Each structure stands twice: as C-alpha cells, then as structure tokens.
Amino acid sequence: MWKIENAINLKFHPLQVFGVESLFVYVVHLMVIYGSPINPTLSYSAFWKEMLSYPQVFALFLILAIIMFLSSYLLNIAKWRNYRTIDYLRYAIANIILLVFLINPY
C-alpha cells in the first residue's frame, strides 16, 4: 500500500478529508437516518416504516455515502478558506440545538 500511495502521489487524500470531518459525518448521518431533536419526523425511518429490500437499502446507502463524502469535502474546503465564519456557524448551531433541547418538555 505504501508503494502504491507513493506511486499515485495525490495532492490530497479523499479518505483523509473524510477522517478529518468524521464527527460531522457521524452526527449528520444519524440525523438523516433517525431524525434530529429539532424535527424528528424528517428522517429515513419516518418515511419508510416497512421493511426495505436489500437493493433499496444498498441504493440508500450509496446515496447517503456520496452525500456525506461531498458535504465533508465542501466543509473542509470552507474551513480552510473561511475559518472564522465556519467557527461562528458551528457555535450558532450548537447553541440552537442546546436551546431546543432545554426548551422541549420531554
């Protein structure tokens, strides 16, 4: 693998970008599959209550994996270009989720 990696000589490694943004990918994919505290009805499990076939699950997996990879790549690019803006956005989202968590009666 080391020889192959040296032979290819990529400027960036796609899996490395995915690894850097792994917490983002983990949280967002769980919100897509199971819903979020803000709107729990908007999720895969809310749309399909019955069992899915293997090809349907595989297609949904591919779509979600591609979307997660692209979004993590775009987030990584945005972090390098506008770090302050992304930092403020991160704090705003965390505060909104915390506020919704504290306000909800359940």
Side-chain angles (χ1 to χ4, degrees):
M1 291 304 291
W2 179 73
K3 286 184 179 187
I4 292 172
E5 183 178 354
N6 286 338
I8 293 174
N9 196 13
L10 293 173
K11 297 274 184 197
F12 75 97
H13 295 281
L15 291 179
Q16 190 175 21
V17 172
F18 202 63
V20 168
E21 306 299 335
S22 62
L23 181 62
F24 167 76
V25 170
Y26 179 72
V27 170
V28 171
H29 101 275
L30 286 178
M31 289 171 49
V32 168
I33 293 173
Y34 299 112
S36 70
I38 296 173
N39 55 358
T41 59
L42 186 63
S43 67
Y44 274 172
S45 58
F47 287 130
W48 291 289
K49 295 189 185 293
E50 70 276 353
M51 297 286 289
L52 297 175
S53 67
Y54 287 121
Q56 290 171 330
V57 171
F58 187 70
L60 288 175
F61 162 74
L62 284 179
I63 291 168
L64 185 62
I66 291 169
I67 289 171
M68 289 295 103
F69 181 74
L70 290 175
S71 62
S72 67
Y73 181 70
L74 292 174
L75 179 64
N76 195 289
I77 289 174
K79 274 186 181 179
W80 285 105
R81 291 186 182 165
N82 306 352
Y83 187 77
R84 283 278 186 222
T85 306
I86 296 298
D87 209 23
Y88 292 140
L89 182 64
R90 184 183 311 150
Y91 290 130
I93 291 171
N95 285 326
I96 289 170
I97 290 174
L98 182 63
L99 182 68
V100 168
F101 177 74
L102 292 175
I103 290 175
N104 278 337
Y106 49 87

